[in-house]
Amino acid sequence: MRVEGPKGPAAGVQSRNGKGSGSGSGFSLPSAASPSSAANAGGTPATAAVHDLDALLALQTVEDEGDRRRRAVRHGHDLLDQLEALRADLLAGRVAPQRLSGLAVLVRAKQATEDPQLQAVVDDIALRAKVELAKLGIDP
């Protein structure tokens, strides 16, 4: 993500001779403050930087509806793929135990979304997987 100032990304960039190429309104590091001014500011610059970093990390963990929707769709596709593989195993006459445990793990890992239609479809697929596991004597 690119953050640009009011004059674009080159505003306030210093050249090798130490003079700024912008009008002086660019980014600058805080100067060393006296202990009394640091106490008046409410903390040290390092503490403020840590709080700013915490805020940025908190923003990154916030997921939007698009992410939840993509995960729910992927979860539904994974369940369908496992059910198809289970059907092939049943037709072949032998079911791999790791296939059953993988399907049970997917059934337990529910992906929620705010789209009620998508959620209903994923829930129906998960219910079908639970029924197949119950037929084979596995409690999901």
Side-chain angles (χ1 to χ4, degrees), residues 11-63:
V13 175
Q14 289 188 352
S15 65
R16 291 188 185 255
N17 62 7
K19 295 181 181 178
S21 64
S23 62
S25 64
F27 175 78
S28 66
L29 293 174
S31 62
S34 66
S36 62
S37 65
N40 292 339
T44 65
T47 305
V50 169
H51 291 300
D52 292 341
L53 182 62
D54 287 342
L56 286 174
L57 291 175
L59 283 174
Q60 287 179 344
T61 60
V62 174
E63 56 185 35

Side-chain angles (χ1 to χ4, degrees), residues 71-91:
R71 267 202 310 278
V73 168
R74 180 79 250 153
H75 182 69
H77 282 291
D78 291 344
L79 280 169
L80 287 173
D81 290 344
Q82 287 290 324
L83 283 171
E84 182 66 27
L86 178 63
R87 183 177 73 89
D89 285 353
L90 287 171
L91 289 173

Side-chain angles (χ1 to χ4, degrees), residues 115-126:
D115 183 358
Q117 292 173 334
L118 176 61
Q119 189 66 48
V121 170
V122 173
D123 289 344
D124 287 345
I125 296 169

Side-chain angles (χ1 to χ4, degrees), residues 122-137:
V122 173
D123 289 344
D124 287 345
I125 296 169
L127 178 62
R128 183 71 223 166
K130 287 178 186 178
V131 168
E132 292 301 323
L133 287 171
K135 283 182 188 178
L136 296 170

